[in-house]
Amino acid sequence: MKITVLTLFPEMVKCFTSESILKRAQEKGILEVRVKNLSDWGRGKWKKVDDTPYGGGAGMVFRVDVVVGAIKELKHKNKKAKVILLTPQGEKYDQKRVQMLSQEEELILVCGHYEGFDERIRDYVDMEISIGDYVLTGGEIAAAVIVDSVARLLPGVLGKEESHQDDSFSEGLLEYPHYTRPEEYEGKKVPEVLRGGNHKEIAKWRKEKSEVRTNERRPDLT
Ligand code: 4G4
């Protein structure tokens, strides 16, 4: 899968995508992350990408000609690429959407700043996503969240040890509690059932704990 990130701060995005599992996925050729500087499409001597808002008010707005110019050029090579705007006004991101995006062959993630995008840009994008109900200084962290969450679902990215088969959310439930050595810490013992080797009992215990935890903490998921 190919993911192109369009940003004013390429180093910010590279920082997240050039380490650990994402680095390995790119080395293996499963994932290709390209980071493009929006300033390359900027106007004039100063490569300006933004301007003051019509109607007045504080802040700056990304220019439609600059952003759409970049989108058109990036989409030219692959018409199937899906263009996604990262904004607080987008559809809320969740594991269902991660799964959906992981089926695409190419994503183009557009990171905003300042007060946001000229409204007309929305006519040239396929989706608008928000990673949650809070405001960030820019869309870069949201883009990193999408790259990371999508990449780990691509076949071959996670090893057996890191498998996402029993992830939280893969069954629409929160994860059961995990334990490792020591068997006892400050009087807190690892549950008996996990120390016996009865796999059927263990599976039953885990399912039950998942359900209880989901009902207690996230009743909205059920
Ligand atoms: C577009 C419009 C995404 C992009 C305004 C981006 C939160 C999210 C931005 C802005 C973002 C999210 C500067 C407010 C960049 N903040 N929840 N900021 N702002 O996904």
Side-chain angles (χ1 to χ4, degrees):
M1 174 176 214
K2 192 159 155 180
I3 306 182
T4 305
V5 184
L6 189 57
T7 168
L8 282 183
F9 303 98
E11 290 310 315
M12 231 172 128
V13 178
K14 283 181 198 158
C15 166
F16 285 106
T17 56
S18 61
E19 300 277 1
S20 182
I21 294 174
L22 296 189
K23 179 182 184 181
R24 199 179 63 199
Q26 290 171 87
E27 287 165 354
K28 284 188 186 169
I30 303 167
L31 173 71
E32 184 187 346
V33 181
R34 291 192 307 170
V35 187
K36 294 284 179 183
N37 195 333
L38 184 63
S39 299
D40 293 350
W41 286 271
R43 292 287 160 141
K45 190 174 164 193
W46 307 107
K47 295 282 166 204
K48 220 170 134 59
V49 301
D50 59 342
D51 215 325
T52 51
Y54 277 108
M60 301 290 270
V61 177
F62 272 20
R63 290 173 60 110
V64 60
D65 51 352
V66 171
V67 176
V68 173
I71 288 172
K72 283 181 174 168
E73 196 176 320
L74 293 173
K75 204 164 170 165
H76 178 71
K77 267 191 244 145
N78 180 6
K79 305 251 173 343
K80 282 198 224 157
K82 292 281 182 293
V83 179
I84 303 173
L85 219 52
L86 284 337
T87 83
Q89 294 108 50
E91 288 182 57
K92 182 94 76 78
Y93 197 52
D94 59 13
Q95 194 64 23
K96 277 256 145 33
R97 283 192 173 76
V98 180
Q99 265 164 21
M100 193 187 86
L101 294 184
S102 69
Q103 306 298 312
E104 299 289 344
E105 86 187 31
E106 180 172 357
L107 304 177
I108 298 171
L109 307 179
V110 188
C111 305
H113 264 267
Y114 318 118
E115 294 308 302
F117 299 102
D118 184 301
E119 187 64 22
R120 294 166 288 184
I121 293 170
R122 293 192 162 89
D123 294 340
Y124 301 84
V125 309
D126 299 292
M127 263 174 267
E128 185 169 341
I129 289 178
S130 162
I131 61 162
D133 290 336
Y134 38 78
V135 182
L136 303 167
T137 57
E140 284 73 16
I141 295 176
V145 165
I146 292 185
V147 175
D148 190 288
S149 53
V150 167
R152 66 189 285 290
L153 293 192
L154 302 176
V157 168
L158 296 188
K160 192 167 164 284
E161 295 302 308
E162 309 144 331
S163 167
H164 54 80
Q165 292 310 312
D166 17 87
D167 275 353
S168 183
F169 296 124
S170 70
E171 302 287 340
L173 292 174
L174 299 185
E175 280 216 31
Y176 52 79
H178 301 274
Y179 296 89
T180 185
R181 278 180 283 270
E183 202 173 297
E184 183 176 341
Y185 182 73
E186 295 190 342
K188 298 172 215 297
K189 290 199 176 109
V190 173
E192 194 71 47
V193 58
L194 299 178
R195 290 184 285 123
N198 190 332
H199 298 294
K200 232 175 128 178
E201 282 299 307
I202 292 171
K204 191 173 145 230
W205 181 88
R206 285 177 168 167
K207 186 162 181 284
E208 197 178 295
K209 291 291 175 190
S210 270
E211 287 164 358
V212 168
R213 185 166 274 194
T214 307
N215 288 335
E216 281 175 2
R217 299 188 186 180
R218 295 294 305 278
D220 58 299
L221 291 177
T222 59

